[in-house]
Amino acid sequence: QILLACCLTLFAGCSDSDSESGQNGIPKGSKAIDLQQDRSGLLRNPCMGWGLYDDAVGNVANAEEYWAAQDEAARNYASFFYIRWRWSEMEPEEGKYAWIYDENYKKLIQGALARGLKLCFRIYDNGQDNIRQGTPEYVRAAGAQGYEVEGQNNAKLWTPYADDPIFQQKYEKFVAAFAKEYDNPDIVDFIDGHSLGWWGEGSHIKYLNSDKKKETFDWFTTMYSKNFKNIILVLPYNSEIGFNTEKEIAIDQKGYGLRRDGLGSMWFTENDEKVANEMYGKVLMVGECAYWGGYTAAYEPFKNDTKYSFKSWKDVYNQSFDHAQTYHFNTLDLRTITETKGWTGLAPELVRKFVLNGGYRVYPTYVIMPYEASAGQTVSISHSWRNTGYGYLPNNMKNWNYKYKPAFALFDESGKLVKSWIDEDAEPSQWLSNQRRNYTYEVSLDGISRGNYQWAVAIVDKTKDNQPGINIGIKDKEKKDGWTFISEMTIK
């Protein structure tokens, strides 16, 4: 790494610098290649970026109307579609799941996938502030005990006690079916694996036995973690059970990440800031703006914030963006149709800035690699990586299990991949915001025939036959199937 750092200093500002005789610390027959990051627009990657929502405290969205209104934002700014729905909408009758029987739901999902968005979910059971009951009626009919919460229009909505055994049995069955459909990282980014309480945020939870708070939290997070093996799970942190318990049971034991609703408001507290600073680079952190009930020019509920002196919606957006950036949250929300209009209409520069810098944006700044070698020779590749985003690539999360790794490949003159090599010592989760990491890796050319080739670079997914899995965005270089060609190579 010291050698690479010296070489990079020598070749800063240069491009494709050759070394015929091993000068300047570069091996003979190798060259230093200066790579430039493509910062021209949206670069979608897992678990990062802007999110669009269907946030159904009222009626769920009409799919055709929703995507007609959100099409531009989906194609130009967003990376994921977040479905925050009542359990009673996802399974109105026992075993009658929305992904099988609800045509409007299926159109919402297909609308997202067709626009290149990943899916994310929170399914909650509590009906507080909702238009209808959060838990399916069949659960109460089966004998589950519950209580009433305040719904919309002064409605009294039944909600089960969190430790009721019949509720738990029915919910376990739903989550098992839910995971069977959606434990698929090809289409899903993250899932809220704790969603008890008001709005699924872990507050105002009621129990038959209040001594079972910790036991119930363990039951709920275990239920999700035993069913979802491939998707990152997150939970709203600093809930009423406390961060120490959240960390002990969900984060440390089960590999959960963090979610914080309320960025850009008085509800994002100093303790929340402290936790975010402590956990940056350790777990995925999903950020969401405070919900002020929508956006219209004459509607200004944010003036009730006791911490910030907001005078306009633009002030709210600025503070939300600042929290996401400063505390390294990987995501932010354009949210529903109304909020999307607010962000894109009043703060387009912030929308654009988070497209370019939100989450992680990783690329190799330099590569020192051979342009000629002998058949069977072992050659050295030195590479340096940088993350220009505010967040990080959560490769260290339990359900990802370090599956993404930098790799190099040789392609022959016909464009066929001949062989690839993975640098297992290069770890993307260590590439924190605006830090550079340097590596040197040796590869054997044994078994590769003499001829002309091209070197290519990628971050591959080891669970997908080492196919490229992360978009790295290198400027002015030819690309093929996720690989970026960076140099020619002759084997003699």
Side-chain angles (χ1 to χ4, degrees), residues 20-88:
E20 295 290 348
S21 58
Q23 296 176 355
N24 298 324
I26 299 177
K28 183 178 180 180
S30 293
K31 65 168 70 174
I33 304 163
D34 177 7
L35 299 170
Q36 300 298 316
Q37 187 179 38
D38 182 357
R39 298 185 59 79
S40 60
L42 178 63
L43 190 68
R44 286 182 174 139
N45 273 313
C47 292
M48 57 156 281
W50 284 110
L52 300 179
Y53 286 30
D54 184 32
D55 197 357
V57 292
N59 288 315
V60 301
N62 175 279
E64 293 180 0
E65 294 174 0
Y66 183 89
W67 290 119
Q70 295 284 65
D71 183 66
E72 181 180 356
R75 297 186 187 280
N76 296 329
Y77 311 126
S79 294
F80 63 91
F81 178 53
Y82 181 58
I83 301 98
R84 180 152 52 202
W85 273 26
R86 293 172 288 271
W87 175 20
S88 58

Side-chain angles (χ1 to χ4, degrees), residues 366-422:
Y366 279 89
V367 180
I368 300 174
M369 63 196 325
Y371 59 84
E372 64 177 16
S374 301
Q377 184 178 345
T378 295
V379 297
S380 178
I381 297 176
S382 295
H383 49 118
S384 177
W385 293 80
R386 184 186 178 206
N387 172 17
T388 60
Y390 305 133
Y392 92 117
L393 201 168
N395 199 42
N396 56 327
M397 297 294 292
K398 179 181 179 181
N399 282 4
W400 278 11
N401 193 29
Y402 301 96
K403 66 180 181 177
Y404 294 116
K405 287 290 181 178
F408 297 89
L410 281 177
F411 285 75
D412 65 20
E413 291 182 296
S414 70
K416 179 183 177 182
L417 190 153
V418 177
K419 189 172 182 179
S420 62
W421 298 264
I422 296 173

